[in-house]
């Protein structure tokens, strides 16, 4: 792989933009293409002076490495141009990342929920001890040649994480998702079993997950959680509106009482998995805590802004379980405020399959608004629904879009906590509301 020019097809994707930044740091000449619309990931690409072009087959130059984003199939015009050019080396995103991971002591984070936040916590903790590179699903990426650790978010989407061979793998949970690809729960769990065989040393998994007993993880597996059966346990938990305090027990021995700026049981579990990594790596306990205390959040993972008397929260939650924990954490943090949930669905298969769970989770909020969406499902023949399929089933829920009428409908609830949730561009509506509140 001697080429020094790298071109990314779909460079604004969260993983792709992070990988582009990493390649820039490693000395490659980086450019790429994407849609002519704003995505939150492009800010850092622009700051790094990485050229971004509109899609065009003529963008593909000779003697270039081309990395293809997962949203683009082999018939996409730029992919065709790259594949037909014999001087071009083509990788899928996960293939190139798998090659890169082999150059560092790599710790991956996979699981249905919490990958991005946990990888960010992991990066913060490891960086307190040794030079650490990272690739995170919020578009963040930084790797330098003298890094020792590499913290990587490893997604199970279409089994892409099977291209990775980490030294240590954290697995946060195992709840069925990506129902447009995985046949059923057994198929979903089998992907984690397969991936665990790639792990060189140890898997650190949430032992209290209701699906854990059905897994057959390899090689060595250590568990974390709240129950006594786990190798790493959090007990004696105290909570405030901004912090969590808990004792960590490792293999039956008291380690330390931690004081961390995290809210919600899901965040305690995320932190506990990272503490388990630190203890496995024999990192001094005070450095583990100090690194975790540096955590300031991941992009689009419970990002909070105060505008006047209202609060705007932007979160990547798109699965009903993620929506549930996000709204429950909001209740803890803002117990006396009205909570308005604004949700933009993405995949029709996910909405159809989990419709009852979506109804229950969103109903935690005082008010619910649903945005229209365009699904990118490519294996959901026969499912012909739109956002009203969800909106009409939640009492009092209403539709909103990126327009003045929708903003006025949301303003009717101020002062409030507005929780914008989606794995797509719901933040555009959030910014419109913010402009009116200001």
């Amino acid at each position: 792989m001697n080429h020094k020019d790298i071109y990314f097809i779909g460079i604004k994707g969260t993983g792709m933009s992070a990988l582009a930044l990493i390649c820039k740091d490693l000395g490659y000449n980086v450019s790429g293409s994407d849609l002519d619309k704003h995505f939150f990931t492009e800010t850092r690409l622009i700051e790094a002076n990485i050229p971004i072009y509109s899609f065009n087959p003529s963008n593909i130059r000779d003697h270039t490495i081309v990395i293809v984003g997962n949203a683009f199939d082999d018939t996409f015009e730029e992919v065709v141009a790259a594949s037909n050019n014999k001087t071009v080396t083509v990788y899928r995103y996960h293939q190139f990342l798998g090659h890169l991971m082999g150059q560092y002591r790599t710790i991956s984070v996979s699981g249905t929920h919490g990958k991005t936040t946990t990888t960010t916590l992991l990066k913060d903790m490891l960086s307190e001890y040794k030079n650490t590179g990272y690739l995170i699903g919020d578009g963040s990426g930084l790797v330098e040649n003298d890094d020792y650790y590499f913290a990587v978010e490893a997604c199970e989407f279409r089994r892409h994480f099977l291209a990775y061979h980490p030294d240590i793998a954290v697995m946060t949970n195992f709840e069925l998702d990506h129902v447009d690809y995985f046949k059923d729960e057994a198929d979903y769990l089998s992907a984690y079993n397969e991936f665990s065989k790639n792990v060189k040393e140890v898997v650190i998994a949430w032992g209290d997950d209701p699906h854990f007993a059905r897994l057959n993880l390899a090689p060595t597996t250590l568990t974390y959680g709240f129950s006594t059966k786990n190798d790493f346990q959090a007990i004696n938990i105290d909570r405030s509106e901004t912090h969590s305090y808990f004792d960590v027990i490792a293999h039956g021995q008291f380690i330390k009482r931690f004081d961390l700026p995290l809210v919600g049981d899901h965040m305690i579990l995320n932190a506990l998995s990272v503490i388990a990594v630190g203890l496995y790596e024999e990192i001094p306990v005070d450095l583990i805590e100090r690194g975790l205390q540096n955590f300031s959040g991941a992009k689009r993972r419970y990002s909070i802004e105060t505008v006047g008397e209202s609060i705007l929260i932007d979160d990547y939650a798109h699965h009903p379980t993620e929506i549930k924990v996000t709204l429950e954490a909001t209740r803890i943090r803002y117990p006396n405020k009205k909570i308005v949930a604004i949700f933009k669905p993405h995949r029709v298969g996910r909405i159809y399959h989990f419709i009852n769970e979506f109804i229950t989770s969103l109903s935690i909020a005082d008010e619910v608004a649903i945005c229209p969406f365009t699904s990118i499902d490519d294996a959901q023949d026969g499912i012909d629904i739109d956002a009203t399929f969800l909106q009409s089933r939640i009492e009092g829920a209403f539709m909103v879009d990126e327009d003045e009428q929708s903003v006025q409908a949301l303003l009717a609830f101020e002062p409030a906590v507005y929780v914008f949730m989606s794995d797509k561009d719901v933040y555009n509506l959030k910014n419109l509301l913010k402009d009116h509140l200001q």
Side-chain angles (χ1 to χ4, degrees), residues 124-126 128-129 283-292:
D124 289 342
M125 185 276 290
L126 294 173
E128 198 68 28
Y129 181 56
I283 298 173
V285 178
D286 288 346
L287 292 185
I288 295 174
E289 182 177 48
R290 190 189 311 164
L292 291 172

Side-chain angles (χ1 to χ4, degrees), residues 239-241 263-265 327-335 339:
R239 304 169 177 86
S240 73
E241 293 180 7
V263 176
D265 284 357
L327 293 176
E328 287 178 343
T330 304
R331 283 277 181 220
I332 294 171
R333 189 180 285 266
Y334 304 103
I339 297 175

Side-chain angles (χ1 to χ4, degrees), residues 137-421:
D138 64 356
S140 301
L142 175 64
V143 176
E144 297 177 339
N145 289 316
D146 63 348
D147 285 335
Y148 179 76
Y149 288 114
F150 189 19
V152 177
E153 181 172 336
C155 187
E156 77 282 10
F157 178 76
R158 298 186 181 275
R159 286 183 163 83
H160 286 163
F161 60 2
L162 296 184
Y164 309 153
H165 293 78
D167 297 279
I168 301 169
V170 173
M171 297 185 181
T172 59
N173 38 60
F174 309 93
E175 185 177 12
L176 177 64
D177 196 10
H178 302 298
V179 291
D180 59 309
Y181 171 78
F182 292 103
K183 300 173 187 175
D184 51 29
E185 195 172 77
D187 188 30
Y188 187 75
L189 297 179
S190 73
Y192 288 90
N193 289 334
E194 290 179 68
F195 177 47
S196 71
K197 295 175 184 176
N198 289 358
V199 181
K200 297 174 184 175
E201 294 181 20
V202 64
V203 172
I204 296 175
W206 181 37
D208 297 329
D209 188 288
H211 308 92
F212 183 76
R214 297 175 55 195
L215 290 160
N216 182 26
L217 301 175
T220 301
T221 301
L222 299 174
T223 61
Y224 68 93
F226 295 139
S227 68
T228 56
K229 69 181 181 182
N230 291 293
D231 298 293
F232 302 93
Q233 186 186 3
I235 63 172
N236 301 328
I237 300 170
D238 291 314
R239 304 169 177 86
S240 73
E241 293 180 7
T242 58
H243 279 67
S244 296
Y245 315 87
F246 55 92
D247 296 338
V248 171
I249 307 296
H251 307 291
Q253 300 295 313
F254 171 78
I255 300 299
K256 181 181 176 60
R257 185 162 183 80
F258 281 78
D259 171 2
L260 300 178
L262 309 172
V263 176
D265 284 357
H266 65 297
M267 291 298 295
I268 295 173
L269 288 169
N270 292 341
L272 183 59
S273 72
V274 172
I275 292 168
V277 171
L279 295 174
Y280 177 83
E281 290 292 282
E282 300 183 344
I283 298 173
V285 178
D286 288 346
L287 292 185
I288 295 174
E289 182 177 48
R290 190 189 311 164
L292 291 172
Q293 287 173 338
N294 290 334
F295 176 74
S296 59
K299 295 185 185 74
R300 297 214 60 232
R301 270 60 174 188
Y302 214 76
S303 174
I304 301 172
E305 290 183 83
T306 301
V307 185
E309 296 183 29
S310 289
I311 308 294
L312 302 182
I313 296 173
D314 183 20
D315 194 86
Y316 201 72
H318 54 281
H319 186 284
T321 298
E322 295 165 350
I323 291 171
K324 178 176 181 287
V325 298
T326 297
L327 293 176
E328 287 178 343
T330 304
R331 283 277 181 220
I332 294 171
R333 189 180 285 266
Y334 304 103
N336 301 315
K337 285 186 174 288
K338 179 187 287 288
I339 297 175
V340 182
I342 303 98
F343 176 54
K344 184 173 185 176
H346 180 196
R347 296 181 179 273
V348 295
R350 186 181 285 131
I351 292 297
Y352 186 81
H353 188 90
F354 297 117
I355 183 62
N356 293 326
E357 291 87 347
F358 274 112
I359 292 168
T360 300
S361 297
L362 286 164
S363 296
I364 294 171
D366 298 302
E367 307 288 346
V368 178
I370 305 295
C371 303
F373 70 104
T374 301
S375 174
I376 65 166
D377 280 8
D378 50 18
Q380 289 297 327
D381 293 342
I383 300 178
D384 184 18
I385 62 174
D386 59 18
T388 61
F389 182 80
L390 175 59
Q391 174 262 325
S392 64
R393 286 166 170 76
I394 301 175
E395 184 177 356
F398 58 99
M399 297 295 299
V400 292
D401 205 342
E402 295 176 19
D403 55 42
E404 181 67 22
Q405 183 177 351
S406 297
V407 171
Q408 292 302 321
L410 294 173
L411 286 171
F413 302 114
E414 66 165 321
V417 181
Y418 297 95
V419 187
F420 291 83
M421 295 175 290

